[in-house]
């Protein structure tokens, strides 16, 4: 904090260390000199036109007119000196000294204390104290007091004036000191108020900047509108949700979001808040909440926009995280007894005297244990979150080997799966990950296809944009119903009675880990899944 004695100085140091006087001090000094000029000219006019009726110049009119004219010239010359903007304290001292000298001279030419001209120094002392922010005010009062007393003493000695007027001179001197002290106190308080206002201005600016940064980084959209529906502030999230709110000039909410403006206008008119809710939904994926900017609603509102899709996604991620931990623990506990059941079923099936009914039951046990084992493997893969080790390889060679392996494993005719190469690229992918994704997609395609020649097609084409390759897995089945397409990649969602609901979800996660994208594409026949990845 600035010490009090330093705060009284009219100078400050700039970035280069040079002492400078603030512009406000020079403007105040110029106004003070304007008053001096007006007072001098008024005294000159009064002496020149009404000297016979007034006491001005009663002792020596010629001296009074010369003194008033010199005072006016001095005041006008000070305007030129002030423009130099140098040595503020010295300029102020010269000006106040000139006031004291010229006023005492005019008092002498007008008969002394009885002329009343000594009162002019009260205004000069008060103005000097305010202009200098309290500096040297008592010194100026002392000089004025000494000058008035010396002038009256000269009159007593020279013209045998009554010594009783010393009391009037003393009272006038007391008034000088009182005025100077009052100006000093007012200047001190003014400086304290200025420092406090400057500090508050800095605090408000910092707070406004912090608020701006906080609002811009908020995940929720924020729009501030006044009572007329004019957008005063908007953050990036709100611009992304609605758009067009940051246009140049005045932006009206009704021009960019008429539905939202209608709800906000109704809300602003409802001063009691009884008929309109503070929160409402705008479409299926956007929710708005209104907060008044003042005690009354009509002054404006802060609109908070919430992306329901993002909130639902975050809730789904939290649910998946908790579910993943639970299923990992359950899978670990199930694996050992599941292995024992599977092993016992195989031993039972090898017995020589097992009836056909028992054989059928053991087959059911074996198939279901394999299904449970596959589900456990999917859950453990989901929780491991293995990182991709991408490599560059020839896609056509890889797909031919994959088709040969898949056909042999599933005991299919070689022509059930056909390879259609519209392009012959290299790609960047983790081989094991791509193998897992294709096994999942081809098993799904096989499950819903007719198992005829060409029922499953692997199509390789160059993507329409960027350095990318698209690999499509197409079947000739009935396709997916429209109501299931939005939930297709959600975990534990399945349309197959024997499915786990994790296959497509894991496939998409694996693709994203490799910088690729898996999506369902509308097709004229069957189902079509597209994997878009980087070309090698």
């Amino acid at each position: 904090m600035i010490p009090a004695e330093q705060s009284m100085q009219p100078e400050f140091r700039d970035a280069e260390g040079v002492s400078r006087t603030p512009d406000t001090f020079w403007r105040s000094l110029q106004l003070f000199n304007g008053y001096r000029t007006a007072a001098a000219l008024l005294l000159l006019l009064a002496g020149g036109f009404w000297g016979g009726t007034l006491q001005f110049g009663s002792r020596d009119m010629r001296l009074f007119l010369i003194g008033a004219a010199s005072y006016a010239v001095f005041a006008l010359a000070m305007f030129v000196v002030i423009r130099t903007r140098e040595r503020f304290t010295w300029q102020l001292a010269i000006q106040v000294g000139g006031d004291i000298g010229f006023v005492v001279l005019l008092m002498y030419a007008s008969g002394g204390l009885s002329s009343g001209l000594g009162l002019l120094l009260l205004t000069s002392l008060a103005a000097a104290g305010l202009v200098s922010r309290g500096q040297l005010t008592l010194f100026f009062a002392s000089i004025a007091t000494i000058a008035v007393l010396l002038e009256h003493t000269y009159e007593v000695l020279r013209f045998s004036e009554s010594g009783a007027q010393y009391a009037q001179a003393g009272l006038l001197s007391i008034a000088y000191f009182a005025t100077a002290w009052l100006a000093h106190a007012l200047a001190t308080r003014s400086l304290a108020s200025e420092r406090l206002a400057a500090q508050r201005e800095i605090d408000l600016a910092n707070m406004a900047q912090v608020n701006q940064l906080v609002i811009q980084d908020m995940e929720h959209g924020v729009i501030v509108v006044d009572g007329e529906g004019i957008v005063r502030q908007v953050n990036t999230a709100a611009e992304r949700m609605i758009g067009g709110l940051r246009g140049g000039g005045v932006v009206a909410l009704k021009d960019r979001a008429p539905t939202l403006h209608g709800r906000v206008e109704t809300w602003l008119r409802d001063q009691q808040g009884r008929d309109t809710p503070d929160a409402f939904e705008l479409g299926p994926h956007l929710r708005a909440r209104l907060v008044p900017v003042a005690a009354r609603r009509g002054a404006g509102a802060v609109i908070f926009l919430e992306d329901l899709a993002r909130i639902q996604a975050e809730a789904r991620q939290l649910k998946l995280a908790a579910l993943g931990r639970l299923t990992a623990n359950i899978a670990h506990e199930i694996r050992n007894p599941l292995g024992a059941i599977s092993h016992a079923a195989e031993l039972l099936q090898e017995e020589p005297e097992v009836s056909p009914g028992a054989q059928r039951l053991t087959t059911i046990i074996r198939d279901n244990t394999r299904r449970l084992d596959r589900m456990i493997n999917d859950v453990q893969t989901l929780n491991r979150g293995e990182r991709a080790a991408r490599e560059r390889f020839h896609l056509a060679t890889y797909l031919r080997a994959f088709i040969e392996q898949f056909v042999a494993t599933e005991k299919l005719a070689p022509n059930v799966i056909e390879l259609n190469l519209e392009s012959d690229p290299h790609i960047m992918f983790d081989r094991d990950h791509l193998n897992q994704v294709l096994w999942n997609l081809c098993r799904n395609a096989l499950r819903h296809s007719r198992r005829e020649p060409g029922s499953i097609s692997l199509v390789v084409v160059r993507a329409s944009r960027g350095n990318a390759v698209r690999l499509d897995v197409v079947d000739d089945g009935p396709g997916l119903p429209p109501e299931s397409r939005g939930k297709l990649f959600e975990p534990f969602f399945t349309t197959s009675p024997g499915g786990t609901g994790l296959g497509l979800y894991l496939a998409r996660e694996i693709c994203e880990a490799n910088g690729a994208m898996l999506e369902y594409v509308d097709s004229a026949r069957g189902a079509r899944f597209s994997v878009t990845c980087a070309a090698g």
Side-chain angles (χ1 to χ4, degrees):
M1 185 176 178
I2 302 176
E5 61 271 18
Q6 293 182 8
S7 66
M8 302 300 292
Q9 300 298 325
E11 287 86 15
F12 72 96
R13 295 189 179 275
D14 59 12
E16 299 177 354
V18 179
S19 179
R20 299 185 185 277
T21 302
D23 291 338
T24 54
F25 285 77
W26 292 109
R27 286 196 295 269
S28 299
L29 188 61
Q30 198 163 16
L31 291 174
F32 180 29
N33 194 59
Y35 155 76
R36 179 181 298 107
T37 304
L41 292 175
L42 184 62
L43 289 174
L44 182 61
L45 291 175
F49 290 97
W50 301 288
T53 57
L54 300 176
Q55 194 174 352
F56 296 162
S58 58
R59 176 172 292 158
D60 191 339
M61 177 59 70
R62 183 172 177 274
L63 179 62
F64 182 86
L65 294 176
I66 293 175
S70 301
Y71 192 19
V73 172
F74 169 78
L76 293 174
M78 285 297 103
F79 280 116
V80 179
V81 177
I82 291 173
R83 292 175 63 88
T84 64
R85 299 293 178 97
E86 294 182 359
R87 298 183 178 275
F88 174 84
T89 303
W90 281 102
Q91 287 196 34
L92 178 65
I94 291 172
Q95 291 185 26
V96 177
D99 289 338
I100 294 172
F102 283 113
V103 169
V104 170
L105 177 64
L106 296 176
M107 285 175 57
Y108 171 76
S110 301
L113 293 173
S114 60
S115 66
L117 291 176
L119 297 176
L120 291 175
L121 292 179
L122 293 176
T123 305
S124 296
L125 292 174
L130 294 176
V131 168
S132 65
R133 302 302 193 266
Q135 189 180 17
L136 299 176
T137 51
L138 297 179
F139 171 74
F140 294 146
S142 302
I143 297 300
T145 297
I146 293 172
V148 170
L149 291 176
L150 288 177
E151 189 275 335
H152 185 64
T153 301
Y154 179 78
E155 288 188 354
V156 170
L157 295 177
R158 175 73 183 273
F159 301 107
S160 301
E161 293 287 344
S162 173
Q165 287 190 332
Y166 273 111
Q168 184 177 353
L171 292 176
L172 187 59
S173 300
I174 293 174
Y176 290 161
F177 278 99
T179 301
W181 181 257
L182 180 61
H184 174 78
L186 291 176
T188 302
R189 179 167 295 186
S190 174
L191 277 176
S193 299
E194 288 180 4
R195 289 196 299 270
L196 181 61
Q199 185 62 42
R200 291 290 184 269
E201 183 179 1
I202 294 173
D203 293 342
L204 288 175
N206 291 337
M207 186 179 298
Q209 186 175 9
V210 170
N211 290 339
Q212 182 71 16
L213 292 174
V214 170
I215 289 175
Q216 289 301 325
D217 290 340
M218 286 180 64
E219 295 181 351
H220 295 317
V222 178
I223 305 173
V224 181
V225 297
D226 58 17
E228 303 298 326
I230 304 300
V231 177
R232 297 300 181 185
Q233 192 171 9
V234 60
N235 69 346
T236 304
E239 178 69 17
R240 184 177 64 252
M241 294 175 187
I242 295 180
L245 296 175
R246 288 182 173 177
V250 178
V251 177
L253 187 62
K254 64 180 180 181
D255 297 333
R256 301 294 190 269
T259 303
L260 177 59
H261 174 262
R263 300 294 295 269
V264 172
E265 188 176 15
T266 304
W267 184 86
L268 291 174
R269 288 199 301 264
D270 184 16
Q271 297 292 334
Q272 303 299 324
R274 297 175 181 174
D275 301 328
T276 55
D278 293 335
F280 48 87
E281 293 186 0
L282 294 170
H285 302 298
L286 197 61
R287 179 179 177 86
R289 181 167 57 89
L290 304 181
V291 177
V293 298
R296 62 183 187 89
R297 284 190 175 186
V302 180
I303 307 171
F304 293 95
L305 300 177
E306 300 176 1
D307 188 352
L308 297 181
R310 182 186 59 81
I311 294 174
Q312 292 169 0
E314 291 178 353
R316 185 163 56 250
Q317 290 297 327
L318 292 174
K319 181 177 69 175
L320 288 176
L323 186 59
R325 291 191 294 269
L326 176 62
T327 52
N329 294 330
I330 294 175
H332 179 72
E333 296 298 329
I334 289 177
R335 169 149 283 182
N336 291 332
L338 185 64
I341 294 172
S342 178
H343 183 64
E346 290 176 358
L347 292 176
L348 181 61
Q349 199 170 21
E350 293 176 359
E351 291 291 330
E353 299 179 356
V354 178
S355 64
Q359 287 281 357
R360 185 171 57 83
L361 293 176
T362 53
T363 300
I364 294 174
I365 294 174
R366 185 187 62 210
D367 292 342
N368 282 276
T369 53
R370 288 178 179 174
R371 175 172 173 266
L372 288 174
D373 186 66
R374 188 168 67 252
M375 183 182 296
I376 291 171
N377 287 332
D378 288 343
V379 169
Q380 290 181 337
T381 302
L382 177 65
N383 284 276
R384 279 198 301 268
E386 298 177 355
R387 307 185 77 175
R390 295 198 294 171
E391 57 180 308
R392 181 179 180 272
F393 58 90
H394 187 229
L395 182 58
T397 303
Y398 170 83
L399 290 177
R400 291 188 182 99
F402 170 80
I403 292 174
E404 182 179 351
Q405 180 186 10
F406 184 82
V407 168
T409 303
E410 297 294 333
K411 299 179 176 57
L412 300 173
N415 58 357
V416 172
I417 300 181
E418 63 178 15
L419 180 60
N420 186 357
L421 294 174
E422 299 180 12
S423 178
D424 190 20
H426 287 72
I427 65 169
M428 293 294 296
F429 218 100
D430 187 312
R431 286 178 180 266
D432 293 334
H433 284 179
L434 182 58
N435 194 64
Q436 188 174 353
V437 171
L438 288 180
W439 270 95
N440 188 289
L441 296 178
C442 289
R443 274 178 175 164
N444 283 342
L446 181 63
R447 186 182 305 118
H448 297 93
S449 70
R450 301 175 184 176
R451 298 189 178 223
E452 298 175 353
S455 290
I456 302 175
S457 298
L458 299 183
V459 183
V460 178
V461 297
R462 281 281 184 177
S464 58
R465 291 183 299 176
N467 185 27
V469 175
R470 197 179 79 233
L471 171 59
D472 293 348
V473 179
V474 189
D475 63 61
D476 60 355
L480 287 171
E483 62 271 12
S484 300
R485 295 175 186 176
K487 304 177 182 178
L488 191 59
F489 294 99
E490 291 185 2
F492 305 108
F493 173 79
T494 179
T495 58
S496 175
T500 64
L502 291 173
L504 289 176
Y505 175 76
L506 287 173
R508 171 173 275 189
E509 292 291 319
I510 290 172
C511 287
E512 290 180 355
N514 284 270
M517 180 175 61
L518 172 62
E519 57 186 345
Y520 177 81
V521 181
D522 291 332
S523 176
R525 67 159 192 154
R528 188 185 192 99
F529 288 89
S530 178
V531 178
T532 305
C533 59

